Amino acid sequence: MRTRKIAMSKVTLFALALSLFMGAFVLKSQAQESKNYFVVVDFMKVKQGDEAKYVELEKEVWKPIHEERIKQGEIVGWVLYAIHYAGSDDEYNFVTAALFDDPAKLEHTFQVDMEKVHPGKDLDKAFAETLSSRELVRKQLLYRDDFVYPEGGPGDFKYIQVNFMKVKPGSGGAYVEHERKVWKPVHQALVDAGTRSGWSLWECVYPMGAGMPYDYVTVDYYADFSKLGAADVMGAFEKAHPGKMMNELTTETNQVRKQVKAELWEVIDSAWKQE
């Protein structure tokens, strides 16, 4: 039997791999939360009318491969997202994310016996269909700096709001510290209230530089669509910072970073390491 292994150099040709925020970026057991994580995000452009075919390929061809990667210990999770309110002029409309618990595992990815995963399947045809179903617009590696999840581990989520942040030059450390001291307790209060399933802060690793449109990403997790916009942010702020003025701390936040944009991503499918 001919063994097929996908090396790093072939990822851009074959893999609808890795996924969040990014949030993604949520694991399914409390034990895993003692670690920190890297996520590789693939941004995909699918032509209008080809969405169903693309999703079918992800579920039937690539999800079993990611499940084998999880079984082998290469990754701990994979998520397929659809981007809401994206049109033909937008850069991407689907995202995949793969979560790693060890940076050493990022060097050689997709060391999978493809024929073992799909015995008897015409893999050349599957690869060709994959390439024709979407364009891999770009890839990104991010590192999770911090998070808030419910007691007992991350809550189930169906939607995430991904917030893209541009930090002033030289202010990365100050920004992260500000998120931890000011806004993390607010997100904790929202999670405690049950209006959010979690929050996480991610730092862009590659590509990076002054020319990048954003440097950090925060992710708000929601169990279902009804939770969007339902959070009492002011009440959560007052609980987290009694006696302090929200507008003053918001002004301080805006002095170190600018929110470039926010996007709504829906979980279409996923696979996670089972403990």
Side-chain angles (χ1 to χ4, degrees):
M1 178 184 295
R2 189 158 49 99
T3 299
R4 297 172 178 263
K5 291 189 177 181
I6 301 181
M8 191 67 177
S9 62
K10 297 184 179 179
V11 170
T12 56
L13 294 177
F14 299 137
L16 299 175
L18 308 161
S19 30
L20 147 297
F21 138 77
M22 296 117 254
F25 320 131
V26 172
L27 295 178
K28 295 301 180 183
S29 76
Q30 185 178 14
Q32 291 168 316
E33 291 314 306
S34 62
K35 299 180 180 180
N36 236 321
Y37 295 93
F38 289 84
V39 64
V40 179
V41 184
D42 283 4
F43 297 83
M44 308 292 189
K45 182 66 174 181
V46 178
K47 291 181 181 179
Q48 190 172 11
D50 290 345
E51 295 90 347
K53 179 61 176 178
Y54 167 70
V55 170
E56 180 184 7
L57 283 166
E58 283 282 11
K59 289 184 174 182
E60 295 187 1
V61 176
W62 292 101
K63 181 179 180 180
I65 294 171
H66 297 304
E67 289 174 332
E68 180 65 20
R69 296 173 73 198
I70 293 170
K71 183 179 179 181
Q72 292 183 9
E74 180 185 323
I75 62 175
V76 293
W78 169 85
V79 187
L80 168 65
Y81 294 98
I83 314 304
H84 277 238
Y85 312 112
S88 58
D89 290 337
D90 288 297
E91 182 187 18
Y92 54 89
N93 52 359
F94 284 87
V95 166
T96 63
L99 200 62
F100 293 77
D101 62 358
D102 183 351
K105 297 175 182 177
L106 291 163
E107 184 176 5
H108 302 291
T109 62
F110 279 88
Q111 301 298 302
V112 175
D113 186 336
M114 304 288 282
E115 292 183 350
K116 177 182 176 182
V117 177
H118 292 296
K121 191 176 186 66
D122 187 340
L123 295 177
D124 290 332
K125 180 181 178 181
F127 294 157
E129 289 178 342
T130 295
L131 291 173
S132 65
S133 71
R134 63 28 168 186
E135 177 186 0
L136 175 56
V137 177
R138 58 186 171 91
K139 301 173 73 73
Q140 190 162 38
L141 174 65
L142 300 100
Y143 170 75
R144 192 182 70 177
D145 282 311
D146 215 331
F147 62 93
V148 170
Y149 298 137
E151 183 178 356
D156 290 331
F157 65 100
K158 177 63 175 175
Y159 293 91
I160 62 173
Q161 179 175 304
V162 183
N163 309 292
F164 298 84
M165 308 295 186
K166 184 64 178 178
V167 174
K168 291 184 177 181
S171 299
Y175 166 67
V176 171
E177 188 66 14
H178 196 77
E179 284 280 7
R180 286 173 172 161
K181 286 187 174 181
V182 176
W183 297 110
K184 181 178 179 179
V186 177
H187 295 298
Q188 181 67 66
L190 292 169
V191 169
D192 293 343
T195 53
R196 286 187 186 167
S197 299
W199 168 86
S200 57
L201 168 64
W202 298 80
E203 178 179 351
C204 299
V205 180
Y206 291 113
M208 63 176 178
M212 297 300 296
Y214 58 93
D215 314 296
Y216 290 83
V217 171
T218 64
V219 182
D220 305 324
Y221 302 85
Y222 299 93
D224 54 58
F225 198 85
S226 68
K227 293 293 192 298
L228 295 169
D232 180 6
V233 178
M234 181 63 73
F237 183 89
E238 292 174 351
K239 181 179 179 181
H241 303 291
K244 295 185 178 181
M245 301 296 293
M246 183 173 174
N247 60 337
E248 293 179 358
L249 291 179
T250 300
T251 298
E252 290 181 11
T253 302
N254 292 335
Q255 290 174 350
V256 294
R257 66 94 173 118
K258 176 177 69 173
Q259 182 169 338
V260 178
K261 63 177 179 176
E263 294 180 346
L264 181 62
W265 298 7
E266 180 183 359
V267 176
I268 303 300
D269 207 348
S270 63
W272 298 102
K273 179 180 178 180
Q274 301 298 315
E275 290 295 326

